[in-house]
Amino acid sequence: MHADSGFSTRAIHAGSEPDPVTGAVIPPIYATSTFKQDGVGGLRQGYDYSRSGNPTRTALEQCLAAVEGGRHGLAFASGLAAEDAIIRALLKPGDHIVIPDDAYGGTFRLFDKVAKRWGVDYTPVPISDTAAILAACTDRTRLVWVETPTNPLLTVADLDTIIEQLAQHDLYVVVDNTFATPYLQQPLRHGADIVVHSTTKYLGGHSDVVGGGVIVDDDELADTLAFHQNSMGGVPGPFDSWLTHRGLKTLAARMDRHCDNAERIASFLNEHSKVSQVYYPGLTDHPSHDVAKRQMRRFGGMVSFRHADGEEAAVDLCDRAKVFTLAESLGGVESLIEHPGRMTHASAEGSELEVPNDLVRLSVGIEDVEDLIGDLDQALK
C-alpha cells in the first residue's frame, strides 16, 4: 500500500497484510498474554508480553497512524487512558494547560479532579478565540488542549491560526479529533503535535468496544508516549484491538451517511418552534461555519440543540424518543440522544464548563433519516 493511497484504501489495508502462513485476509486475534522466546532475551518478532506489545494491537496501531497521516500510532484501553498517558508523559507538577471552555466532561474531570491534585493547573478559554488562547498561555504552559468540534457545543477551532500563533511558545498542541474523525479532519497536517481519540466512538463505530488512540509524527515523542503506555499499562486487549480495527475499515462509508443524516436533522431542528438554538457547524449561521468548511471534509454526525421550553422539557424529550436511544457515548451506527447536563457533562456542573440545562445532544446514526426526523418530531410535540 502506497503512502499516498486514498483514505479508504489506507483504512482497509493498513495493518491488514494477509497472514503469511495461512493466507487469512483478516489478521487473527492473538489471544495470548506471553510469547515464547528463542533463548534468553531472544524475542520473536519483537514480542515478549502483551502489555508491551501484541500483533493484533500492532495492526490497529498501524491503521490508526495511517488514517491520521502520522508515523506512529498507540492504542489504549479507553480515550481517557490515552489522555492520561499524554498528561503523565509530558507534564510535571507546576505545569499549566489551556483547555476548551466547553470540553468533554470526562476530560474536564481528568484535568480538574486528577491532574490538578497532582499539581497541574488549567485555564479554560473559548477554543475558537485564538487571542484568548494566547492570552491564557504563561511561561508554565506546556499543553494547549484542543477539541474541534467540541463536545457538546460543537465549537470549531481554527487549527492553522492557533498552531501558527503558538509556534513561538515551548509547548505541545494536542487535538482531540474524536468528533471529526480522521476522515473529516487530520490535525497533524495542520501542525498539531499529538492527536487523541476515543476510539470507542466513530473509529470503532458499533458501540461494542471501548478504546483510545494517540497518533504522532515525532519519533522522540512517540518513544516517550510508548514508554508510558507500557509502564502504566492502560492498553487494549487483543479482542478489543481487533474490533476497533475492523470498525476502522468502514469509517469513510459510515461517516458520509452520518453527515448526510445530521445535515438533514440540523435543518429540521433549525426550523422547529420548540428549538431555540441548534449547534451544528454545517449550518451557515454557525459562528465557525467558514472555518469548518475550510478545515473539514464535511461537518460531522453530532448535533446539539436547546429546547425552547427549558430543562424539564429537554429531559422529557430524551425520554420520549423511540428510534433515538437514550444513552451516553456517541459515534455508533445507531442514533443516540442524551441530556449532557445530567449525563455526560454532569462533572462540569457548577464550573466554568457547565453546559446549558436545556441542552440535548444527538449522535446521529445511519438509519433512514425520515425515521429519525419523525422520531424527533413526535418527541418535541
Side-chain angles (χ1 to χ4, degrees):
M1 183 188 65
H2 196 274
D4 293 332
S5 299
F7 183 90
S8 288
T9 303
R10 284 178 281 132
I12 292 169
H13 292 285
S16 291
E17 291 297 323
D19 183 77
V21 177
T22 66
V25 173
I26 300 300
I29 301 171
Y30 287 86
T32 183
S33 61
T34 191
F35 300 82
K36 181 184 184 297
Q37 298 188 22
D38 297 326
V40 176
L43 306 188
R44 191 176 299 187
Q45 301 298 319
Y47 296 104
D48 60 354
Y49 187 61
S50 276
R51 185 193 69 244
S52 304
N54 178 287
T56 313
R57 193 174 94 215
T58 298
L60 168 60
E61 292 176 332
Q62 290 172 348
C63 191
L64 286 172
V67 296
E68 273 290 2
R71 299 181 61 225
H72 306 280
L74 300 166
F76 291 85
S78 69
L80 284 171
E83 294 185 7
D84 189 49
I86 294 170
I87 292 171
R88 303 289 182 178
L90 302 182
L91 300 178
K92 63 183 185 304
D95 286 345
H96 172 256
I97 315 172
V98 176
I99 68 170
D101 66 357
D102 60 339
Y104 163 54
T107 299
F108 170 71
R109 183 177 58 231
L110 178 62
F111 293 143
D112 188 62
K113 301 296 191 294
V114 180
K116 192 174 181 180
R117 292 180 61 193
W118 187 49
V120 174
D121 64 343
Y122 64 89
T123 301
V125 300
I127 208 64
S128 60
D129 187 342
T130 304
I133 295 171
L134 292 171
C137 291
T138 73
D139 58 1
R140 297 188 299 111
T141 306
R142 294 292 174 266
L143 286 183
V144 171
W145 196 278
V146 179
E147 285 181 18
T148 182
T150 58
N151 178 6
L153 297 179
L154 284 300
T155 304
V156 177
D158 187 336
L159 292 178
D160 287 331
T161 302
I162 291 171
I163 293 168
E164 180 183 356
Q165 293 294 314
L166 289 173
Q168 59 186 314
H169 294 267
D170 181 22
L171 52 76
Y172 295 98
V173 177
V174 180
V175 179
D176 184 338
N177 203 29
T178 298
F179 266 29
T181 80
Y183 179 62
L184 302 182
Q185 171 180 274
Q186 295 178 343
L188 293 178
R189 299 185 186 277
H190 296 271
D193 298 295
I194 302 171
V195 175
V196 64
H197 283 276
S198 171
T199 59
T200 309
K201 311 305 193 297
Y202 287 107
L203 302 194
H206 293 79
S207 301
D208 55 8
V209 60
V210 173
V214 173
I215 303 93
V216 299
D217 260 337
D218 183 82
D219 295 342
E220 184 177 351
L221 182 56
D223 288 343
T224 298
L225 290 166
F227 174 83
H228 281 75
Q229 177 197 42
N230 183 44
S231 299
M232 296 164 63
V235 296
F239 188 54
D240 287 355
S241 297
W242 187 89
L243 283 172
T244 304
H245 193 190
R246 181 184 65 169
L248 268 164
K249 295 176 186 294
T250 59
L251 178 62
R254 287 186 286 106
M255 287 310 300
D256 276 331
R257 180 62 174 260
H258 284 298
C259 293
D260 287 344
N261 286 357
E263 288 168 11
R264 288 277 305 278
I265 286 171
S267 295
F268 162 76
L269 292 170
N270 209 34
E271 300 297 325
H272 202 286
S273 61
K274 292 293 184 180
V275 175
S276 60
Q277 186 172 0
V278 180
Y279 301 89
Y280 186 66
L283 295 174
T284 55
D285 60 355
H286 187 281
S288 302
H289 174 74
D290 290 340
V291 174
K293 188 175 181 179
R294 181 180 75 246
Q295 187 168 280
M296 300 171 66
R297 187 193 300 255
R298 295 186 68 182
F299 301 106
M302 300 300 298
V303 180
S304 293
F305 65 95
R306 299 180 70 171
H307 200 297
D309 293 340
E311 179 177 9
E312 294 306 320
V315 172
D316 181 62
L317 183 153
C318 293
D319 289 334
R320 287 168 57 84
K322 293 179 171 57
V323 181
F324 281 85
T325 300
L326 177 60
E328 297 190 2
S329 198
L330 58 102
V333 292
E334 69 290 315
S335 293
L336 303 180
I337 189 169
E338 65 121 359
H339 184 270
R342 297 190 186 183
M343 296 172 68
T344 54
H345 291 68
S347 60
E349 184 178 2
S351 75
E352 295 176 76
L353 280 76
E354 183 173 5
V355 299
N357 62 15
D358 56 2
L359 188 73
V360 175
R361 191 190 73 179
L362 305 177
S363 174
V364 179
I366 64 173
E367 302 96 335
D368 293 300
V369 70
E370 291 80 8
D371 294 329
L372 297 176
I373 291 174
D375 189 36
L376 290 172
D377 193 31
Q378 66 82 22
L380 281 162
K381 289 178 180 176

